[in-house]
Amino acid sequence: MSKIDHSLFSVQQGGGQDERCPRCGSLLQLRQGKHGPFLGCASYPGCDYLRPLRVIEHDEDIEKVLDGSACPLCAHPLAIRKGRYGLFIGCTHYPDCHYVADVNDQGNSDPLCPACGRGHLVARTSRYGKRFYACDAYPGCRYVINDKPVATACPDCGFGILAERRGQVYCPNKGCGYASKTTP
């Protein structure tokens, strides 16, 4: 009383009816690997020919091509792409060009790091998707702030930056306490 259609499971072990290996002439078999099914030669240790069943397309992750934009490396159009960590801007000529830009970067100048004075505070994303700002001279300087930095010195203590949170600007220097409702 099984409702399973056994004709679905009557596939031969070979890749096709009489599909042969182009190197040695043996039959190709359907095999399973960590990246999915593939066709492999039946005389495997002697012949290592394999062919993926699905051709990997790099156009699958393109969300939208940005009209009027050009890659600074190869001059091909840029596109909004979907990756494992979210959306990013990348070149449409991907396997040959590896240009990548952040979607959230609007081209504004990053404020100078108040801790070291050499690096700039750049936006980063944690592995959990949380946004934070860190010094780009990382191994030497480990300054991090969670709120968006504003390139204005604190009027009370003279700290190099202010931070913005929910429309309020405050001084991130411990012990200062400066806060203002308006953005400077």
Side-chain angles (χ1 to χ4, degrees):
M1 297 297 257
S2 176
K3 294 185 179 186
I4 297 175
D5 186 10
H6 293 286
S7 65
L8 294 174
F9 299 102
S10 63
V11 178
Q12 297 177 358
Q13 286 290 59
Q17 291 294 336
D18 287 331
E19 196 168 354
R20 301 276 179 182
C21 175
R23 289 188 190 164
C24 69
S26 297
L27 283 174
L28 292 179
Q29 292 180 337
L30 181 66
R31 305 229 173 146
Q32 183 67 28
K34 66 180 179 178
H35 299 292
F38 64 94
L39 292 175
C41 186
S43 59
Y44 165 63
C47 179
D48 61 351
Y49 176 79
L50 58 94
R51 185 180 76 216
L53 285 179
R54 185 176 72 93
V55 178
I56 299 171
E57 292 290 330
H58 295 289
D59 295 337
E60 292 175 353
D61 60 350
I62 292 180
E63 294 290 317
K64 180 182 177 186
V65 176
L66 301 173
D67 296 330
S69 64
C71 176
L73 301 178
C74 68
H76 282 84
L78 294 175
I80 297 177
R81 303 176 77 110
K82 183 173 28 172
R84 80 191 269 193
Y85 297 112
L87 296 176
F88 66 96
I89 297 173
C91 185
T92 55
H93 205 241
Y94 164 63
D96 298 327
C97 178
H98 292 279
Y99 176 76
V100 173
D102 190 7
V103 171
N104 297 322
D105 188 23
Q106 284 91 21
N108 52 359
S109 62
D110 299 322
L112 203 61
C113 176
C116 68
R118 295 185 324 253
H120 294 276
L121 295 178
V122 293
R124 309 256 183 202
T125 306
S126 72
R127 62 178 154 180
Y128 303 111
K130 182 98 171 147
R131 195 124 186 103
F132 66 95
Y133 299 86
C135 183
D136 59 0
Y138 165 64
C141 178
R142 295 177 180 255
Y143 185 77
V144 176
I145 187 169
N146 288 328
D147 299 320
K148 183 175 177 158
V150 179
T152 305
C154 177
D156 287 353
C157 70
F159 194 65
I161 62 167
L162 292 175
E164 181 180 354
R165 180 191 306 159
R166 292 186 226 123
Q168 182 180 7
V169 178
Y170 70 95
C171 181
N173 191 10
K174 293 185 180 184
C176 178
Y178 171 78
S180 173
K181 292 280 184 194
T182 60
T183 57

